[in-house]
Amino acid sequence: MGNMIKVGMADLKVCTAPNALTTLGLGSCVGVCLYDSATKVAGMLHVMLPDSTQISRESNRAKFADTGIDDMIEQMKALGASVARMTAKIAGGAQMFAFNASVGDLMRIGDRNVQAVKDKLKTLGISIIAEDTGLNYGRTIEFSAENGELLVKSVGKENKVF
């Protein structure tokens, strides 16, 4: 068994087998996991916000779906991965608090994060082969570079493996 590499909030990491990646407490944030099974290169991104173009002077590109995914792919390519072979698994994007309908789109950050990730991956031609998103609870995820398995853990729920 390799190392378990922690990915912080608004952070991204890449690794190769036998290592694995984990991020704790995804609420409205989305964990984006990319995998190239031929080279066993894995990447994980902890997305906080959907779109970097809405915010000026933000230096942390890993915070956003658009720039974070680009950067993760570049780092994975440096380890020998190919975009053509990449598949994606995503988790998170929960609606952590109950809002009345009038609060509107601004607070639906979880949904917007999930949609931004899906749009970006679609543009890149990377298919999402597993997803555990939405609802109203947090998730901790572990992603194996050995086999591309995604383990999703939530308090009071059965573990899920994708």
Side-chain angles (χ1 to χ4, degrees):
M1 181 66 196
N3 293 325
M4 182 64 74
I5 300 164
K6 281 206 167 75
V7 179
M9 188 179 255
D11 185 18
L12 74 92
K13 297 269 172 34
V14 299
C15 74
T16 53
N19 299 322
L21 300 155
T22 185
T23 195
L24 310 174
L26 288 167
S28 60
C29 297
V30 176
V32 183
C33 301
L34 296 183
Y35 189 60
D36 176 345
S37 58
T39 53
K40 295 194 176 184
V41 174
M44 182 184 285
L45 168 69
H46 187 131
V47 172
M48 280 179 72
L49 294 167
D51 181 8
S52 66
T53 60
Q54 305 293 312
I55 295 170
S56 60
R57 298 185 307 280
E58 173 55 66
S59 58
N60 182 2
R61 292 169 51 91
K63 190 180 281 187
F64 305 98
D66 52 354
T67 47
I69 289 172
D70 284 341
D71 289 2
M72 180 165 59
I73 286 172
E74 286 313 304
Q75 291 185 26
M76 289 176 70
K77 282 173 26 185
L79 293 176
S82 153
V83 178
R85 288 190 302 257
M86 283 181 197
T87 54
K89 296 182 180 182
I90 64 173
Q95 184 69 21
M96 295 302 288
F97 309 99
F99 294 107
N100 58 27
S102 66
V103 173
D105 205 40
L106 185 66
M107 300 314 278
R108 303 202 65 83
I109 192 76
D111 294 344
R112 288 168 52 216
N113 280 338
V114 170
Q115 196 53 55
V117 164
K118 288 182 172 177
D119 292 347
K120 178 68 179 180
L121 291 171
K122 188 175 189 170
T123 324
L124 296 166
I126 297 173
S127 40
I128 297 172
I129 58 172
E131 166 179 5
D132 185 40
T133 57
L135 302 172
N136 61 348
Y137 55 85
R139 296 164 172 90
T140 288
I141 60 173
E142 295 177 7
F143 189 53
S144 163
E146 189 58 55
N147 56 15
E149 250 181 27
L150 178 64
L151 170 66
V152 181
K153 301 191 269 196
S154 304
V155 175
K157 310 233 180 278
E158 291 282 313
N159 287 351
K160 297 181 206 169
V161 178
F162 297 98

